[in-house]
Each structure stands twice: as structure tokens, then as C-alpha cells.
Amino acid sequence: MHLTDIPFGVTTWADVPATEHPGERGVAVWRTRQFGAVRVRMVEYSPGYLADHWCEKGHVLLVLTGQLTTELADGRTFTLRPGESYQVADHAEPHRSSTDVGATLFIVD
């Protein structure tokens, strides 16, 4: 990631318009800011959420609340709790997310 031409700014996430993205089960609510090639999101997964696709986009993801399970295409699974994060490169390891209890995430990609 190369951060250029981004002036200092403050984001009040509650003021950023929300968009809904249905999963295979449940819904993801995204609040998204775009800074050049860098996308920054606050994402809320509803309880019972399961992504409807395998993602190949690279991310740095931090769990703020709840609990997130991330499954890799090779069968490995990781459960993250508040204060835990993961990072993965573009096209490195397909992954998908789910949560039984809901989760709020901060994602940079």
C-alpha cells in the first residue's frame, strides 16, 4: 500500500452513508471512504452472517466488537475477537467471513 496525496482528515463514521450487502446469510453494512486507491471501511456484520463469496482482495482487518470467523479456501479457520486483526495480500489466499454473534470491523484495502 502506498499512501499519497491524502491530506489530514477526520472521519466521523456515523456520518458516512451506509450501504447494505446481503450475504449468503445475514447482511453486512458498510460505511466506506475512498482515498485515492485506498478504501477504508467500517463494516458491521449481523448475527448469523456468512459471506456469499470467496474474497481474493487483500485487506488489513481489525475486529472492534463481536467475533469473526475467517475461513481460508484451504480449509483453515481463524476466530478473531476484539483487538485482533489479520492481513492478507491480493490474490494470496481466498477467504470468507462469518459470525454467529455479529461483528464490527475496521478494514483497509
Side-chain angles (χ1 to χ4, degrees), residues 13-21 27-32 42-44:
W13 288 100
D15 294 341
V16 176
T19 58
E20 289 194 359
H21 303 264
V27 65
V29 176
W30 297 10
R31 296 178 187 276
T32 306
M42 186 75 67
V43 176
E44 295 177 45

Side-chain angles (χ1 to χ4, degrees), residues 67-88:
Q67 183 173 297
L68 178 72
T69 299
T70 298
E71 177 184 7
L72 303 185
D74 67 10
R76 290 179 291 160
T77 61
F78 301 88
T79 300
L80 289 85
R81 292 168 182 79
E84 296 181 318
S85 64
Y86 76 72
Q87 55 285 326
V88 64

Side-chain angles (χ1 to χ4, degrees), residues 2-9 34-38:
H2 189 78
L3 302 175
T4 61
D5 300 320
I6 302 171
F8 180 85
Q34 192 74 39
F35 303 101
V38 179

Side-chain angles (χ1 to χ4, degrees), residues 25-99:
R25 296 189 316 259
V27 65
V29 176
W30 297 10
R31 296 178 187 276
T32 306
R33 297 284 316 269
Q34 192 74 39
F35 303 101
V38 179
R39 179 174 67 172
V40 180
R41 295 178 285 159
M42 186 75 67
V43 176
E44 295 177 45
Y45 289 155
S46 66
Y49 176 81
L50 171 63
D52 65 350
H53 66 284
W54 289 93
C55 182
E56 293 193 27
K57 177 87 174 118
H59 315 283
V60 176
L61 177 150
L62 171 65
V63 177
L64 300 173
T65 66
Q67 183 173 297
L68 178 72
T69 299
T70 298
E71 177 184 7
L72 303 185
D74 67 10
R76 290 179 291 160
T77 61
F78 301 88
T79 300
L80 289 85
R81 292 168 182 79
E84 296 181 318
S85 64
Y86 76 72
Q87 55 285 326
V88 64
D90 289 338
H91 310 292
E93 296 170 282
H95 51 281
R96 70 176 175 174
S97 295
S98 65
T99 178

